[in-house]
Amino acid sequence: MNLPFAHRVIFSEDEIADRVQELGREITAFYKERQGPAASVVIVSMLKGAFVFLADLMRYIELDLSVDFMAISSYGATDTKSGVRIEKDLSGSIYNQNVMIVEDIIDTGLTLSYILRNLKSRAPAEIKICTLLDRAVARIAPIEIDYRGFEVGREFFIGYGLDYRQKWRNLKYICSPEGLEEENGESVLALFGDP
Ligand code: PRP
């Protein structure tokens, strides 16, 4: 797909596919080693960004697996996210279950620290965390990540689920658009404005 703005490919379709398969195998091996062939996990994923990664990853996890979704919105400045609101809650119980949270990117960690507190209050057996991208350099709330695809820097990313103003999630690769400027504390593609 041709993008109407300059960009740099950060992770190609093949690089992503290879890493996702590795993660799926590692996750499968971990649970099987610990719990045997009947190992089970409930994957909890945050809409919307993680759905592309999740769809690929889960096909490489060979376990008794179910999937549930949450949608959340945060408010307040990006670096404080003073509050997180649950727009859509899980549809099932996670009581006494092995839960794995699947995210596309962990940035400040503020969203996930809220979600972790919330999910822990439902008494799951345990919670593991898997993220495709880990922007550790931006972390404010410490998060222990069990599985990470790639560690990344401060660039802005789009593609493979990640959006710019809700667009470009459908790219098969992850890239960094050039010509991004700050306007009122928000990133704006200087050449194109609102897509
Ligand atoms: C992204 C990502 C995480 C959150 C991480 O979601 O999917 O949920 O931000 O940021 P944090 O670590 O700084 O809290 P986003 O708000 O972009 O929504 P989306 O998933 O719908 O794209």
Side-chain angles (χ1 to χ4, degrees), residues 9-23 25 56 60 132 149-150 160 171-175:
V9 174
I10 308 289
F11 301 112
S12 69
E13 186 181 354
D14 285 348
E15 279 174 291
I16 296 170
D18 288 349
R19 190 70 189 112
V20 170
Q21 289 179 33
E22 279 172 14
L23 285 172
R25 289 194 200 105
D56 285 343
Y60 290 95
L132 179 63
F150 305 101
Y160 199 69
L171 301 180
K172 295 187 174 96
Y173 52 89
I174 293 174
C175 69

Side-chain angles (χ1 to χ4, degrees), residues 110-123:
L110 292 167
T111 307
L112 201 49
S113 62
Y114 172 86
I115 294 300
L116 276 171
R117 275 198 305 280
N118 182 288
L119 295 184
K120 279 178 183 164
S121 73
R122 308 180 198 199

Side-chain angles (χ1 to χ4, degrees), residues 28-156:
T28 305
F30 168 78
Y31 284 100
K32 279 203 169 150
E33 195 171 301
R34 211 182 45 172
Q35 289 178 282
S40 69
V41 64
V42 178
I43 292 194
V44 168
S45 197
M46 302 299 141
L47 294 170
K48 304 173 187 161
F51 79 94
V52 177
F53 173 44
L54 168 68
D56 285 343
L57 178 69
M58 64 185 279
R59 282 176 280 182
Y60 290 95
I61 301 179
E62 296 180 12
L63 298 169
D64 174 4
L65 173 153
S66 60
V67 174
D68 209 341
F69 294 93
M70 286 179 95
I72 48 182
S73 63
S74 48
Y75 45 93
T78 319
D79 59 348
T80 59
K81 292 194 177 168
S82 48
V84 175
R85 188 170 33 237
I86 295 180
E87 307 279 356
K88 181 218 169 297
D89 204 349
L90 299 176
S91 48
S93 165
I94 56 167
Y95 175 73
N96 213 19
Q97 305 284 312
N98 296 321
V99 171
M100 175 168 292
I101 298 176
V102 171
E103 267 287 20
D104 53 341
I105 185 163
I106 301 176
D107 211 331
T108 63
L110 292 167
T111 307
L112 201 49
S113 62
Y114 172 86
I115 294 300
L116 276 171
R117 275 198 305 280
N118 182 288
L119 295 184
K120 279 178 183 164
S121 73
R122 308 180 198 199
E126 67 170 14
I127 303 181
K128 299 268 177 207
I129 295 171
C130 173
T131 185
L132 179 63
L133 304 183
D134 175 13
R135 196 183 340 248
V137 67
R139 198 77 83 246
I140 294 172
I143 299 281
E144 259 186 52
I145 297 174
D146 300 284
Y147 299 95
R148 66 170 59 67
F150 305 101
E151 187 143 328
V152 294
R154 290 195 184 272
E155 308 102 296
F156 183 78

